Amino acid sequence: MKNDNFSENSQFSESKKVIISILFGLSGFTGSYFSFHYMVEDFSVTIVWSFLFPLLITQAYGWKYGLLAGTLGLGAAHCFLLWPNNGYANIVNFINITLWFVFHGFMAQIRAKKQSFWNNPLVAYFYFALFYAVFTRLLFPVAFSFNPPPIWFKEVQLSIPVDILNRIILKSVITMFLALIFAVTLFKMNGVKKIFGLKPGKESKYNGRIVLASISGGLVIWYVYIILNCILIDFNFPAGLFIIHKPHQIIALLVFISSASFIGYFLSNYMETLLLTQSQLITKSAVLETQLESANSGILAVSNEQEILIANKKFYEIWNIPEELWNTKDDAIILNFGLSQLRNPGEFVNKVNYLYSNKDEISNDEFTFSDGRVFHRYSAPLIDKNKRHLGRIWFFTDMTQNIRMQQIIIQSEKMQTVGNLASGMAHEINNPLGAILQGAQNTLRRLSPDNEANIQTAQECGTEIGIINKYLEERNIIKYLEGIRTSAIRASNIVANLLNFTKTSDYKFQHDDINLILQNALNVVMNDRELKEKYNSSEIEIIKDFNDSLPMININSNEIEQVFINIIKNSVQSFAKSGTEIKKIIQLRTETLDDSITIIIEDNGCGMEENIKYKAFEPFYTTRTVGTGTGLGLSTAYFIINKNHNGSIELHSEPGKGTKVVMHLPV
């Protein structure tokens, strides 16, 4: 616990602290004139209660201000006022008391940094008491030997008996200790701290009442002692209750008050520690509660008796637990409710039972909900600092998005590899393919009956071009040549698509309207004659939800339109396998999300199986019959969106429910 009673924490200026220090020193000096004097046998005892004024300064501001209070404030000069006949010995006493103030202030500064048993003011006093006893025992006789001083009180002592000196040392040590008890006890009170411009601590709010109650209790006990003394010993009851002057009565008062102050000091220390600990626990609890509720994982702690100790809101949300069950402590109820949502509940509950049976086991695994969400499950024993096993803690972290991102990264790397391979293959295939196509076209052209050069050459060879053509047609040679030409053209188109698939477009980017491009793509698809005849596209209901406040976006409009056309075509074609009983719907939506524009194309067609969805972006992968699709539509869209426009494209699909393609383009 850090000491907040220190100079740097005072609201007062340096000059004000200097003035207060000097005034409190003067108060100590003046107050010493009213010290308690009483006789024990033939020995005079003086209790200098006013020591506490400079001591308060040292505790509030540190050793420098304690030095000011003791010297300029004369707080350590009481000996010159009370015992002028000591002569030079008073200088020794003055130095001793000044050093005491400095020492106590120095220890206060150390406590301000870090408190410990050894720098406690009452414990540390014994270090100084030892120094004081040795210092006084050695120098007092020497100082007396120089008496009398030339300009001093003439009736001074020229020596001091050893037994008297020893009793003076003992009396001073006790007196200083009592003053210190009062000073540190008073400083526990917030009202006293305010005098020195110190901010009271929250943990010391009860100290004033504790100290006052302790001192009041000491006074009550002391007065009970006075009453009993009057009745049983002095036999002067009730008159003796109002005449308190005997040494044993004064000593009893000092004993009871100092004891009460001592008790008040330690009680207030205990209460400060208790309140500080309570405050720290409340703070830690609030921090832990905040961390618990702000965690991305669902957290559940269960006792050895399988009673829920704590669970955050995220946990209940992950498992879709209704709010009426949030207060239940029975882990079995929550477990049974959650099992119905899992793809493999048997495997899940077996692992739970195994971990509850093997208390020291640590587990990391994954499980899947019926809705496709994938979660990482971490479980470890709940053990306190004394190695006691309290139960088990569970963490449930949603890995669905991470897995999707991993799949996207893998897909991107795969697409990049395939793209590089496709580019090389396309260039290698293009040359022989060109020769095949050119040869087929030239052959058909030189067999054409309409070409004059062909007619003349046939006549020169003693035949007619018509006879040659008739032979070729009868033998299906013309048909074969047409097939070669058509296949070569188709192969050439595929090669062209491959090259377009892998290269960055040469078109310049410009700011354009996504809504307009999406509408144009829709018009192209819905007016496609082939789609109308094969897939009855005119029967499909189109639902448009365009955000009219979308900003213009810097894109290659031709490429983006091609992406939209490919995806809308796929949606139209998906209804071929979905049956005729459903109402065919394609939804087009645009919206803004953070610093991007989101385009969503969704249908309620046949959907895709998980293994098909995973391969959908791969080049040449198609579920259509041979010759009806190249398998480059979605892969081209992937490259255009991700590579050329630094966006992203996601595919969500369930068999029998439809497919949703979500595209994000940066603004």
Side-chain angles (χ1 to χ4, degrees), residues 1-11 58-62 108-115 187-190 193-194 196-205 207 269 272 276:
M1 183 173 65
K2 190 175 180 181
N3 184 3
D4 62 348
N5 309 329
F6 198 58
S7 175
E8 283 79 357
N9 295 322
S10 175
Q11 300 171 354
T58 63
Q59 193 157 254
Y61 300 146
Q109 291 181 218
I110 294 177
R111 286 195 302 276
K113 297 177 181 177
K114 184 178 180 181
Q115 287 196 353
F187 221 93
K188 288 292 180 182
M189 302 171 68
N190 284 340
K193 294 177 186 177
K194 290 179 181 179
F196 300 98
L198 298 172
K199 185 178 179 181
K202 292 180 180 179
E203 65 275 9
S204 59
K205 61 181 179 179
N207 286 359
N269 257 2
E272 281 185 6
L276 184 62

Side-chain angles (χ1 to χ4, degrees), residues 514-523 525-526 540-547 564-565 567-569 571-572 585-591 598-603 659-661 663:
I514 280 291
N515 289 337
L516 182 60
I517 295 172
L518 185 56
Q519 182 62 56
N520 291 341
L522 177 65
N523 294 339
V525 174
M526 300 313 291
I540 299 172
E541 180 183 353
I542 305 297
I543 299 176
K544 294 183 290 185
D545 183 13
F546 294 170
N547 186 338
F564 294 161
I565 289 172
I567 295 172
I568 297 173
K569 271 188 177 181
S571 292
V572 171
I585 299 173
I586 294 178
Q587 299 182 61
L588 309 176
R589 297 201 304 276
T590 59
E591 56 191 43
T598 301
I599 305 98
I600 301 172
I601 301 175
E602 184 175 5
D603 63 67
T659 300
K660 178 168 70 173
V661 180
M663 292 159 280

Side-chain angles (χ1 to χ4, degrees), residues 461-475:
C461 293
T463 185
E464 294 181 3
I465 191 66
I467 295 173
I468 295 172
N469 267 274
K470 185 176 180 180
Y471 170 78
L472 294 174
E473 287 175 358
E474 288 292 332
R475 299 296 294 167

Side-chain angles (χ1 to χ4, degrees), residues 366 372-376 397-409 593 648-652 662 664:
E366 291 183 355
R373 291 178 297 151
V374 180
F375 274 77
H376 174 261
T397 306
D398 192 345
M399 301 297 294
T400 309
Q401 195 62 31
N402 290 353
I403 292 173
R404 286 176 183 168
M405 289 302 298
Q406 289 174 3
Q407 291 174 347
I408 289 172
I409 292 171
L593 180 65
S648 65
I649 182 168
E650 303 166 9
L651 183 65
H652 307 275
V662 181
H664 303 285

Side-chain angles (χ1 to χ4, degrees), residues 45-48 51 170-180:
V45 177
T46 303
I47 301 296
V48 186
F51 276 152
L170 179 61
K171 180 267 296 184
S172 297
V173 167
I174 294 173
T175 300
M176 292 161 64
F177 184 67
L178 293 176
L180 182 61

Side-chain angles (χ1 to χ4, degrees), residues 430-587:
N430 216 22
N431 292 330
L433 187 61
I436 293 171
L437 180 60
Q438 185 178 12
Q441 289 174 336
N442 285 337
T443 301
L444 288 171
R445 190 163 46 250
R446 294 187 181 189
L447 291 174
S448 173
D450 300 325
N451 190 302
E452 289 295 332
N454 294 345
I455 295 172
Q456 184 178 350
T457 302
Q459 289 175 351
E460 291 174 355
C461 293
T463 185
E464 294 181 3
I465 191 66
I467 295 173
I468 295 172
N469 267 274
K470 185 176 180 180
Y471 170 78
L472 294 174
E473 287 175 358
E474 288 292 332
R475 299 296 294 167
N476 290 325
I477 294 174
I478 297 295
K479 184 178 179 180
Y480 295 152
L481 289 173
E482 283 290 349
I484 292 172
R485 186 180 69 85
T486 302
S487 297
I489 290 173
R490 175 173 166 76
S492 179
N493 289 334
I494 292 174
V495 169
N497 284 337
L498 275 174
L499 291 173
N500 289 332
F501 171 74
T502 58
K503 74 177 182 178
T504 302
S505 175
D506 294 331
Y507 297 133
K508 291 183 179 180
F509 279 52
Q510 61 184 19
H511 284 82
D512 218 325
D513 184 349
I514 280 291
N515 289 337
L516 182 60
I517 295 172
L518 185 56
Q519 182 62 56
N520 291 341
L522 177 65
N523 294 339
V524 169
V525 174
M526 300 313 291
N527 291 320
D528 188 304
R529 183 175 179 181
E530 182 183 359
L531 292 177
K532 285 182 179 180
E533 293 176 353
K534 283 188 176 182
Y535 302 102
N536 296 321
S537 60
S538 58
E539 297 179 359
I540 299 172
E541 180 183 353
I542 305 297
I543 299 176
K544 294 183 290 185
D545 183 13
F546 294 170
N547 186 338
D548 295 331
S549 61
L550 290 181
M552 301 290 279
I553 187 171
N554 192 32
I555 54 173
N556 184 319
S557 56
N558 291 328
E559 286 188 341
I560 295 299
E561 184 174 341
Q562 186 60 51
V563 169
F564 294 161
I565 289 172
N566 290 348
I567 295 172
I568 297 173
K569 271 188 177 181
N570 286 346
S571 292
V572 171
Q573 292 164 349
S574 71
F575 292 112
K577 299 179 182 179
S578 62
T580 57
E581 67 279 0
I582 66 166
K583 184 178 181 180
K584 303 173 184 178
I585 299 173
I586 294 178
Q587 299 182 61

Side-chain angles (χ1 to χ4, degrees), residues 292 295-301 311-319 375-376 378 393-398:
L292 187 70
N296 289 326
S297 300
I299 301 173
L300 172 70
N312 64 351
K313 185 178 179 181
K314 187 74 174 179
F315 168 79
Y316 292 115
E317 290 175 348
I318 288 171
W319 290 93
F375 274 77
H376 174 261
Y378 172 80
I393 190 164
W394 305 82
F395 293 85
F396 301 94
T397 306
D398 192 345

Side-chain angles (χ1 to χ4, degrees), residues 244-289:
I244 300 169
H245 64 282
K246 295 182 179 180
H248 67 85
Q249 294 175 327
I250 302 298
I251 292 174
L253 175 62
L254 291 173
V255 169
F256 283 117
I257 294 299
S258 58
S259 299
S261 299
F262 201 76
I263 292 170
Y265 172 76
F266 282 103
L267 279 177
S268 58
N269 257 2
Y270 173 76
M271 184 58 70
E272 281 185 6
T273 304
L274 191 66
L275 290 176
L276 184 62
T277 303
Q278 184 185 44
S279 175
Q280 290 172 341
L281 286 174
I282 292 172
T283 302
K284 286 181 180 179
S285 177
V287 170
L288 289 174
E289 183 72 20

